[in-house]
């Protein structure tokens, strides 16, 4: 699972050969994790408040095209 971006309290990853819809995971340093849909930036699985990962969501919105390309690349 390639780490796409590191933040002080969590890291953003995209798993290889993962399921649709295109999404990324935010893995907290304390072990919690959420899945976030790339199109719409909605949390689709997990229990982390959006305010806790605000920096990751902001970065992901600004880099949505890159994330979509990386997701597609890792599914092959």
């Amino acid at each position: 699972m390639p780490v796409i971006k590191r933040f002080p309290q969590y890291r953003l990853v995209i798993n290889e050969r993962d399921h649709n819809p295109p999404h990324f995971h935010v893995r907290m340093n304390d072990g919690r994790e959420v899945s976030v849909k790339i199109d719409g930036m909605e949390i689709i699985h997990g229990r982390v408040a959006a305010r806790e990962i605000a920096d990751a969501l902001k970065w992901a919105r600004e880099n949505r095209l890159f994330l979509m390309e990386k997701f597609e690349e890792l599914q092959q």
Side-chain angles (χ1 to χ4, degrees), residues 22 24 27 33 36 39 45 48 51 53 55 59-60 66 73-74:
F24 58 89
R27 297 212 169 119
E33 180 177 341
V36 180
D39 183 27
H45 187 264
V48 174
R51 73 182 187 293
I53 59 169
D55 290 342
W59 183 88
F66 167 75
E73 173 187 318
L74 291 169

Side-chain angles (χ1 to χ4, degrees), residues 9-70:
Q9 299 300 317
Y10 42 80
R11 62 195 182 280
L12 191 150
V13 301
I14 296 178
N15 295 333
E16 295 179 70
R17 297 187 185 106
D18 211 348
H19 59 86
N20 279 315
H23 65 283
F24 58 89
H25 300 264
V26 179
R27 297 212 169 119
M28 307 292 287
N29 291 347
D30 64 9
R32 294 178 294 152
E33 180 177 341
V34 294
S35 300
V36 180
K37 189 174 170 184
I38 295 171
D39 183 27
M41 294 298 143
E42 97 184 66
I43 294 174
I44 55 176
H45 187 264
R47 297 184 186 241
V48 174
R51 73 182 187 293
E52 290 184 81
I53 59 169
D55 290 342
L57 295 176
K58 180 178 185 270
W59 183 88
R61 275 187 209 96
E62 294 168 355
N63 293 279
R64 189 178 69 78
L65 183 58
F66 167 75
L67 289 171
M68 190 63 79
E69 290 170 354
K70 187 57 82 171

